Amino acid sequence: SLGDPEFLQQLGDKAEESYWICAFCINQHGCICGSFGHEPPQGTQEHLNWDAARRDTVTKEIYPLCNCRQQKHYNDSVVECEVNKFDSVLAALSSIPGFGLVVAADLRFEVFTRAWCVAELVEADSLNMHQELILHDMGCLHTHGLSLTQLSVCSCEATHAEDKEEIIRKIGDTAEFDSRLQWLLFRSSGLLRSRQNSLVGQTAAVAKILKVQAAIHHDGHLGPSPASSRWFGSSRGSQGHC
């Protein structure tokens, strides 16, 4: 077997668990290794974000690009592309007993600003997959939690503009999607379910979070029922727009 025997013994049954991690399971040389994505117009906030993402956060130097010659496949190569099938992957994985989705949030909650990530959250929920939100600490929620109350897929980003366009097209009704997203985060059994008690008495931003939670708990029109149909892999996304 692989791994240090002593460490594996410490893990116990956990050592037998399997994880799908896109960074490892998807061939990065077949999609993103050779560029930083489309460069937005200079002087815009989008360009500032794009420039920051391509630099080392400590040295501020630009990351080196890969010079491999492997052919790249994007959304225009529907079959060969490895990054346009998250709905199919989730559907397949959801059939595995006990399989769940781990949402590892970064310090700035930037994971919730990525169109692919929020789409995965809602699709996994529609498949009744168990999801667990992992935070670095409660300080992250106190600092950035307010942004979750205003979260919308239309304000999310993607490395390639066509990726976001494809997601929006598949979603269809973005307002309904956003309601489902809020419901997923703030309902009594949602991603923030284990954080409620520790939030009480904290900052004004957290008070807003609790207010949204209370509204969703007591007002049915703020969120669909768990029995809602799948978002992706259906015909509902034919007229998606923001």
Side-chain angles (χ1 to χ4, degrees):
S1 60
L2 298 177
D4 179 72
E6 182 177 346
F7 179 61
L8 292 175
Q9 185 176 8
Q10 292 176 4
L11 289 176
D13 293 341
K14 291 288 185 180
E16 302 300 322
E17 295 183 358
S18 299
Y19 289 83
W20 171 285
I21 302 177
C22 288
F24 302 145
C25 297
I26 291 176
N27 181 8
Q28 306 294 328
H29 292 287
C31 51
I32 65 172
C33 73
S35 74
F36 299 112
H38 177 71
E39 181 176 357
Q42 293 194 15
T44 64
Q45 184 61 47
E46 290 76 12
H47 190 276
L48 290 175
N49 295 341
W50 173 85
D51 185 55
R54 67 182 182 141
R55 296 179 182 274
D56 186 292
T57 56
V58 177
T59 66
K60 305 304 179 183
E61 294 182 358
I62 297 177
Y63 291 118
L65 292 174
C66 179
N67 59 2
C68 75
R69 298 182 180 181
Q70 181 162 338
Q71 184 177 358
K72 307 297 186 280
H73 295 287
Y74 303 108
N75 283 340
D76 54 348
S77 301
V78 178
V79 176
E80 295 87 354
C81 180
E82 294 188 25
V83 294
N84 63 347
K85 301 175 177 65
F86 76 92
D87 49 333
S88 299
V89 172
L90 285 175
L93 295 176
S94 67
S95 65
I96 301 174
F99 188 89
L101 183 66
V102 177
V103 185
D106 56 283
L107 289 172
R108 298 182 179 179
F109 277 20
E110 292 181 359
V111 64
F112 297 108
T113 69
R114 309 304 297 176
W116 283 116
C117 294
V118 297
E120 289 176 10
L121 296 182
V122 172
E123 179 67 358
D125 188 59
S126 69
L127 290 166
N128 295 318
M129 292 177 63
H130 175 76
Q131 300 187 62
E132 192 71 33
L133 175 63
I134 306 298
L135 302 178
H136 180 271
D137 54 39
M138 288 304 298
C140 300
L141 187 58
H142 298 157
T143 303
H144 302 288
L146 183 60
S147 63
L148 298 182
T149 68
Q150 304 165 335
L151 190 58
S152 170
V153 67
C154 289
S155 61
C156 290
E157 302 174 348
T159 302
H160 299 282
E162 59 269 24
D163 289 347
K164 179 176 178 179
E165 292 171 1
E166 177 67 9
I167 292 170
I168 297 300
R169 185 194 66 78
K170 286 187 174 184
I171 286 174
D173 190 334
T174 53
E176 184 182 353
F177 179 93
D178 288 345
S179 292
R180 177 66 179 254
L181 183 58
Q182 292 289 308
W183 184 78
L184 165 61
L185 290 169
F186 296 112
R187 71 179 191 260
S188 59
S189 59
L191 290 180
L192 292 173
R193 61 189 178 278
S194 62
R195 316 295 176 182
Q196 285 187 341
N197 293 335
S198 57
L199 289 176
V200 177
Q202 299 294 332
T203 63
V206 173
K208 174 68 177 297
I209 294 175
L210 294 174
K211 183 177 180 180
V212 173
Q213 287 181 322
I216 289 180
H217 294 169
H218 297 291
D219 193 340
H221 79 272
L222 287 177
S225 69
S228 296
S229 61
R230 288 184 59 193
W231 278 94
F232 300 89
S234 68
S235 60
R236 78 158 85 207
S238 58
Q239 299 295 327
H241 64 278
C242 291

